[in-house]
Amino acid sequence: MNTAMSGSSSAASPHDSPPPTRPLPPARPLPLAREAERVPEVFASRFNSGDAAALAEIYVPDAAFVTAEGRVARGADAIAAANAGFLALGYPIAVRPRAVTVVGDTALLVVDWELPGAEVAGTATDIARRGADGRWRYLVDSPFGGGRAGAR
């Protein structure tokens, strides 16, 4: 199992979970957000599409992903590997933004999320940056907000 998931002692594995309930992917994931408040929705759309390349587009080139153990994955390849463990579970993600604070071209996002069926959930503390194209992308993706991974 991916290092992003290994902190969860009772997280689902392919051998002890019911079959995935991933819906048919939409024709296209949502475009990148023009408002910081929409970043979690766009992330969920791209995650739920199962398209790893579409998911990778929501990160700036020098982004960082903080694993459940607190290790920092930097750059596109490392972030793709960190997200691969979540995608491999085959369950759609549900997100509920708690707070979005925007200062200039930077936003702090606090988002509750869960993978229903996989019994994995957390509260993300993320930082997004608005690019020159006006689109928001993750600079720091910290799905467990600095806390330990946990099963519901």
Side-chain angles (χ1 to χ4, degrees), residues 16-135:
D16 61 6
S17 297
T21 58
R22 181 182 295 281
L24 291 175
R28 282 190 185 161
L30 290 175
L32 294 173
R34 288 200 177 271
E35 300 84 26
E37 295 79 7
R38 295 205 53 233
V39 172
E41 173 190 6
V42 170
F43 177 88
S45 167
R46 287 166 178 257
F47 182 96
N48 292 342
S49 77
D51 183 345
L55 186 60
E57 291 173 352
I58 200 164
Y59 294 92
V60 299
D62 58 340
F65 181 103
V66 183
T67 68
E69 300 81 20
R71 289 191 292 273
V72 179
R74 295 183 192 278
D77 291 342
I79 291 171
N83 273 323
F86 289 104
L87 287 170
L89 291 172
Y91 291 95
I93 194 168
V95 297
R96 287 172 304 286
R98 248 196 234 184
V100 177
T101 304
V102 179
V103 178
D105 291 331
T106 305
L108 172 65
L109 302 104
V110 179
V111 181
D112 294 325
W113 62 270
E114 67 177 318
L115 297 173
E119 301 301 319
V120 179
T123 298
T125 304
D126 301 325
I127 300 171
R129 179 193 305 157
R130 181 173 30 217
D133 63 357
R135 307 287 184 161

